[in-house]
Amino acid sequence: MSTDDTFYGSDFGALSTFDPEISGVLLSELGRIRSGLQLIASENMSSPEVLTALGSTLSNKYAEGYPGRRYYGGCSEVDKAETIAIERCKTLFGADHANVQPHSGASANQAVYGAFLQPGETILAMSLPHGGHLTHGAKVSFSGKWFNPVHYGVDRDTENIDYDQVAALAREHRPKMILAGGSAIPRLIDFAFFRALADEIGAIFWVDAAHFIGLVAGGAIPSPVPYADVVTFTTHKVLRGPRSGALVCKAEHAAKLDKAVFPMMQGGPQMHTIAAKAVNFKECATPEYAAYTRAVVANAQQLATSLAGHGIRPTTGGTDTHLSLHDLQGIGVTGVDAEARADAAGIVLNKNAIPFDPQKPGIASGIRVGTPCVTTQGMGLPEMETIAELIAMAVIKGDADPDSAVSQEVRAGVTDLVTRFPAYPRA
Ligand code: DSN
């Protein structure tokens, strides 16, 4: 990552003069990122190169359609950006086809429903309280309102996907589409199992890889691409690109999915973001990025183990990926309190439902922690042990008062770490 301090360092150029209120927000957000530990599993710190593409004049251009087939003139340059992004994405994931226009993971997911399902048809997906996602058929989402979701969960003992239940539900309900993936799944998913099951009942097999696609890009975990009909993802999590989405699919589904992204679900693509995705895909093809993804997993495993040593139990016993989910019932703290106590001490993490959670989602019995950000900052295994100590101190002994003695003590430890491993380091 470059360390161009003129881009994100001490001011935002003309914006600082014209609009001190907003440039002040940009600077204080940078200060917030730099001064705390960012452990939200779905966040990362994009490079200045990605941020430069995001802040470019490509933001101005309307380009409805696809390269060479636009509904507007003047698309010669954005056509180049999108073609480069598509080709890099296909190469990175070994995919037949890529669509880089989805504005987000949720938009990419909408396109999959649009391409393959009619309203009222059945999808089999992981339930939200067991680690799925809103767009996987939750009642409050379009996916739950307009389609017929059947949900599988995890096994009560292993806390891993209950594959027997998945098979039984698939055979009983004969869904048109089977979905694997979610937002709080610490373990690897058996894609071969899902592929075989989908083939058995004649269903489309879709993987929502938003959380772990970055690990796939770097080769740290196995890829769903050879197995799935379509793989959707976000580009801003472990992948470390701009806040956006994309999908890759088998050649036979390309035309259908392209039409579902545009014009069915979206209008004009965000060409500045597509250019930033191209930059990110180039970054992800480097040996440095591959090493980063291995370090993300090693760090997540160490963090989960070290938290367990402080009585903060990881569900499934640990993790194979970038995140772990922790059950706080043994220490008698709710997720919402843990999040507030950590926040008061400069540690940003999120409360999370755990499987079979007795609490409402807004309270939750768990926390989710992830290592994409701290690994981007260069932290390694010893620092994960320190982070676990700091989390334990804040969550078990602390409170939500930033001025309390415990919060102050934890914050001193956080400050030491972020001083030694700065985010967006100054040149
Ligand atoms: N909100 C994302 C997450 O934190 O996992 C998923 O969409």
Side-chain angles (χ1 to χ4, degrees):
M1 182 183 283
S2 114
T3 54
D4 181 2
D5 202 33
T6 57
F7 187 71
Y8 51 74
S10 52
D11 73 57
F12 284 90
L15 181 65
S16 304
T17 312
F18 175 72
D19 192 342
E21 281 168 288
I22 286 296
S23 72
V25 172
L26 304 189
L27 280 174
S28 50
E29 170 62 3
L30 185 59
R32 185 194 69 79
I33 293 168
R34 281 174 164 163
S35 64
L37 284 175
Q38 313 304 325
L39 297 174
I40 304 281
S42 47
E43 293 180 2
N44 210 333
M45 297 165 180
S46 294
S47 67
E49 290 78 6
V50 166
L51 296 176
T52 300
L54 271 179
S56 69
T57 56
L58 271 64
S59 167
N60 298 331
K61 191 73 197 90
Y62 253 120
E64 280 162 308
Y66 288 101
R69 294 176 285 134
R70 304 286 189 185
Y71 290 85
Y72 289 82
C75 289
S76 58
E77 301 313 306
V78 294
D79 272 8
K80 288 180 201 163
E82 185 164 350
T83 302
I84 292 168
I86 290 168
E87 291 308 316
R88 286 181 184 167
C89 186
K90 281 164 56 182
T91 304
L92 188 62
F93 297 112
D96 295 346
H97 179 75
N99 188 308
V100 296
Q101 291 197 5
H103 300 323
S104 65
S107 300
N109 291 355
Q110 281 173 13
V112 175
Y113 285 92
F116 295 114
L117 259 56
Q118 293 299 318
E121 287 188 324
T122 302
I123 176 170
L124 178 61
M126 190 146 182
S127 79
L128 181 60
H130 283 211
H133 188 255
L134 280 168
T135 56
H136 298 183
K139 279 199 185 79
V140 291
S141 149
F142 75 94
S143 57
K145 286 187 192 298
W146 298 339
F147 300 94
N148 176 39
V150 174
H151 283 127
Y152 58 86
V154 300
D155 177 84
R156 201 175 267 277
D157 294 328
T158 64
E159 298 176 307
N160 205 349
I161 294 172
D162 185 341
Y163 289 98
D164 291 338
Q165 185 195 31
V166 177
L169 290 172
R171 289 173 189 139
E172 180 186 347
H173 295 277
R174 318 280 307 173
K176 198 158 178 197
M177 192 152 67
I178 301 179
L179 169 56
S183 53
I185 304 174
R187 295 299 185 177
L188 298 181
I189 297 169
D190 186 345
F191 302 125
F193 165 87
F194 278 100
R195 175 76 266 168
L197 186 63
D199 286 343
E200 180 190 318
I201 62 161
I204 293 287
F205 175 35
W206 164 26
V207 175
D208 180 345
H211 257 273
F212 58 84
I213 195 72
L215 301 176
V216 172
I221 65 169
S223 173
V225 173
Y227 299 96
D229 290 290
V230 55
V231 177
T232 53
F233 53 95
T234 51
T235 49
H236 50 270
K237 298 190 171 85
V238 185
L239 208 58
R240 212 162 54 188
R243 174 161 298 280
S244 196
L247 63 83
V248 294
C249 66
K250 301 215 177 292
E252 67 199 270
H253 305 307
K256 205 182 239 195
L257 280 158
D258 280 356
K259 279 189 200 134
V261 172
F262 172 84
M264 189 174 185
M265 296 297 173
Q266 293 189 173
Q270 300 185 344
M271 300 314 304
H272 57 308
T273 315
I274 288 173
K277 285 181 238 191
V279 174
N280 173 239
F281 295 143
K282 184 168 184 174
E283 292 172 341
C284 291
T286 60
E288 291 76 18
Y289 181 79
Y292 163 73
T293 62
R294 290 192 295 273
V296 166
V297 175
N299 279 346
Q301 290 172 334
Q302 182 63 59
L303 183 56
T305 303
S306 299
L307 283 168
H310 292 283
I312 303 179
R313 184 184 78 84
T315 67
T316 78
T319 180
D320 303 318
T321 64
H322 60 298
L323 69 83
S324 55
L325 187 61
H326 292 264
D327 175 1
L328 306 177
Q329 292 174 105
I331 56 167
V333 179
T334 62
V336 72
D337 284 343
E339 181 183 299
R341 291 175 190 184
D343 195 45
I347 301 173
V348 184
L349 47 75
N350 65 278
K351 63 179 174 293
N352 213 103
I354 55 168
F356 310 103
D357 201 323
Q359 299 282 4
K360 291 183 178 149
I363 305 289
S365 298
I367 51 171
R368 187 186 66 167
V369 290
T371 52
C373 289
V374 290
T375 310
T376 291
Q377 289 171 255
M379 295 186 209
L381 303 183
E383 289 73 40
M384 297 306 116
E385 291 183 43
T386 306
I387 291 173
E389 266 172 50
L390 296 172
I391 292 173
M393 200 187 304
V395 167
I396 298 170
K397 297 189 193 147
D399 52 42
D401 176 4
D403 296 322
S404 71
V406 173
S407 295
Q408 291 288 319
E409 190 180 343
V410 175
R411 187 171 278 279
V414 169
T415 301
D416 174 61
L417 280 174
V418 299
T419 305
R420 290 192 287 123
F421 299 92
Y424 292 112
R426 294 175 174 86

